[in-house]
């Protein structure tokens, strides 16, 4: 008959009349810590890889796989308690939903990011997120809320000396004011943002502002200012300093023609119509070219009539 060995039990030590402690094996504790550290590193590496792959898909416009990978990364960072990276992933997810015009989800992720950024005291993330939320609420039609968020974004950019952030906030604030029908205030904000974009050498933002400002002056019927903005836009675009597409350039040329005709400057209108016609022909847009040829004929007729009126003033009284 074999007798089994009794189980080894820990030795209990009486600490006081009510407390008993169990001595810990230092080697077991060290082993457990190594296992936990290894697991933590493995999970962090996985999260980092998911984030990297998600960003790669996002850059390529592949939103569905990007979303799945970013959400996996977010969950891992939550499990790890890594708030700094949580905030960055949340802001990326907010940006993804904004790109696909799902502003409710974009705002939801933005609010989550803002809470964490405030806990961390991360001014840079807070400023970006506040601006993002301002744009979301503008698109959703809640202009007062949009104004509050964007105003906070501008204040924080000024406080931290973030001039690019200040430029973006001014530009976005102008959009909100314009949506509220406060067109004159919008023009003032666009002008301030344009000065900063010029100072910073940010040509991409400068092009966007020039287009927005030109449209704003057109709404105000301040045609010389609108023409100046549009022609500066084309000069930058055609010099290769900025990146624009033919659709945008054609829209600008259409606005330029309208503003020139409104001023009675038919010579200028003809120059821009000819430019527009050359683009339409190079793209094989026969329908658009036909419309532009009709516009050119009308402009030449108007120019001829204007010249006759100058040469024979008596005709103007007929």
């Amino acid at each position: 008959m074999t007798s089994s060995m009794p189980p080894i039990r820990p030795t209990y030590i009486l600490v006081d009349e009510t407390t008993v402690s169990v001595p810990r094996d230092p080697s077991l504790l060290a082993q457990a810590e190594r296992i936990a550290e290894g697991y933590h590193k493995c999970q962090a590496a996985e999260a980092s890889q998911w984030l990297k792959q998600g960003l790669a898909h996002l850059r390529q416009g592949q939103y569905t796989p990007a979303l799945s990978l970013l959400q996996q990364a977010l969950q891992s960072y939550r499990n790890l308690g890594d708030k700094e990276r949580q905030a960055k992933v949340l802001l990326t997810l907010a940006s993804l939903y904004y790109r696909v015009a799902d502003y409710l989800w974009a705002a939801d992720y933005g609010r989550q990011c803002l809470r964490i950024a405030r806990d961390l005291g991360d001014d840079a993330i807070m400023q970006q997120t506040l601006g993002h939320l301002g744009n979301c609420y503008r698109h959703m039609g809640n202009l007062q809320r949009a104004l509050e968020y964007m105003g906070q974004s501008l204040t924080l950019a000024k406080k931290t000396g973030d001039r690019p952030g200040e430029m973006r906030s001014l530009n976005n604030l102008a959009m909100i004011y314009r949506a509220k029908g406060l067109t004159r205030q919008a023009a003032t904000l666009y002008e301030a943002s344009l000065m900063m974009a010029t100072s910073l050498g940010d040509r991409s933002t400068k092009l966007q502002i020039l287009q927005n400002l030109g449209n704003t002056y057109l709404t105000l019927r301040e045609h010389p200012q609108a023409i100046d903005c549009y022609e500066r836009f084309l000069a930058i675009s055609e010099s290769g300093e900025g990146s624009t597409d033919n659709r945008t350039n054609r829209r600008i040329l259409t606005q330029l023609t309208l503003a020139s005709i409104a001023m009675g400057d038919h010579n200028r209108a003809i120059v821009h119509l000819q430019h527009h016609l050359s683009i339409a022909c190079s793209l094989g847009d026969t329908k658009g070219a036909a419309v532009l040829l009709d516009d050119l004929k009308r402009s030449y007729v108007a120019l001829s009539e204007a010249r006759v009126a100058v040469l024979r003033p008596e005709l103007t009284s007929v």
Side-chain angles (χ1 to χ4, degrees):
M1 180 177 176
T2 58
S3 61
S4 58
M5 291 290 291
I8 299 172
R9 300 182 183 278
T11 303
Y12 294 96
I13 300 173
L14 186 66
V15 176
D16 54 37
E17 293 181 356
T18 59
T19 306
V20 175
S21 70
V22 182
R24 298 184 179 183
D25 186 334
S27 63
L28 290 176
L29 276 175
Q31 184 181 4
E33 286 172 0
R34 283 196 299 273
I35 291 169
E37 185 181 350
Y39 174 74
H40 187 281
K41 284 181 178 178
C42 181
Q43 198 168 17
E46 272 190 332
S48 176
Q49 188 62 25
W50 286 330
L51 176 56
K52 190 182 295 183
Q53 290 174 354
L55 290 171
H57 283 297
L58 185 60
R59 281 191 294 271
Q60 293 165 14
Q62 299 167 348
Y63 298 123
T64 301
L67 177 61
S68 175
L69 288 160
L70 289 168
Q71 286 176 333
Q72 284 179 268
L74 176 63
Q75 189 55 55
S76 286
Y77 287 131
R78 279 175 173 159
N79 294 339
L80 292 165
D82 189 337
K83 287 194 169 185
E84 202 170 313
R85 286 182 174 82
Q86 279 181 61
K88 290 176 181 176
V89 177
L90 283 166
L91 188 54
T92 305
L93 281 164
S95 173
L96 187 156
Y97 277 106
Y98 187 86
R99 286 193 196 186
V100 298
D102 192 337
Y103 302 116
L104 281 170
W105 274 107
D108 182 70
Y109 277 111
R111 287 190 297 268
Q112 291 181 56
C113 180
L114 186 60
R115 282 195 293 272
I116 293 175
R118 280 175 171 158
D119 288 343
L120 293 170
D122 190 325
D123 287 341
I125 294 287
M126 270 194 282
Q127 194 274 328
Q128 289 180 63
T129 309
L130 286 163
H132 163 82
L133 285 166
N135 284 329
C136 286
Y137 280 102
R138 173 172 57 84
H139 282 291
M140 289 191 288
N142 190 338
L143 299 179
Q144 190 53 44
R145 195 89 180 268
L147 202 58
E148 290 167 8
Y149 278 123
M150 200 60 72
Q152 291 176 49
S153 176
L154 177 61
T155 300
L156 197 52
K158 285 181 176 179
K159 174 189 165 188
T160 57
D162 179 2
R163 296 189 74 231
E166 186 178 348
M167 173 193 66
R168 288 190 296 270
S169 295
L170 285 167
N171 184 34
N172 291 326
L173 266 176
M175 291 185 193
I176 298 168
Y177 273 104
R178 193 167 175 217
K180 285 171 73 71
L182 301 170
T183 315
R184 175 59 61 194
Q185 292 91 325
T188 302
L189 289 165
Y190 277 134
E191 289 283 8
S193 183
L194 180 61
M195 286 178 64
M196 294 195 76
T198 303
S199 171
L200 292 167
D202 186 339
R203 295 184 180 92
S204 177
T205 303
K206 187 175 178 179
L207 283 169
Q208 182 193 0
I209 298 167
L210 282 168
Q211 184 177 1
N212 290 337
L213 185 55
N215 294 342
T216 304
Y217 279 130
L218 203 59
T219 302
L220 291 167
R221 299 183 183 279
E222 296 182 3
H223 300 111
Q225 292 90 329
I227 287 171
D228 178 62
C229 290
Y230 292 141
E231 289 185 342
R232 286 165 68 189
F233 177 99
L234 288 176
I236 294 171
S237 172
E238 291 168 5
S239 68
E241 293 180 27
S243 176
T244 59
D245 54 34
N246 281 319
R247 182 182 296 180
T248 303
N249 288 342
R250 293 183 71 177
R251 192 181 303 122
I252 293 293
L253 285 163
T254 298
Q255 301 290 68
L256 260 172
T257 303
L258 291 171
S260 300
I261 291 170
M263 284 182 63
D265 191 343
H266 300 292
N267 272 316
R268 190 186 295 268
I270 287 167
V271 168
H272 293 305
L273 280 167
Q274 288 173 334
H275 185 180
H276 195 168
L277 179 61
S278 68
I279 294 174
C281 290
S282 69
L283 295 172
D285 180 8
T286 53
K287 187 177 178 181
V291 172
L292 289 164
L293 280 168
D294 287 340
D295 291 341
L296 264 171
K297 288 175 188 175
R298 283 192 289 271
S299 290
Y300 275 117
V301 169
L303 179 61
S304 178
E305 289 174 351
R307 284 174 175 169
V308 168
V310 170
L311 292 170
R312 297 175 60 187
E314 67 273 11
L315 291 178
T316 58
S317 60
V318 176

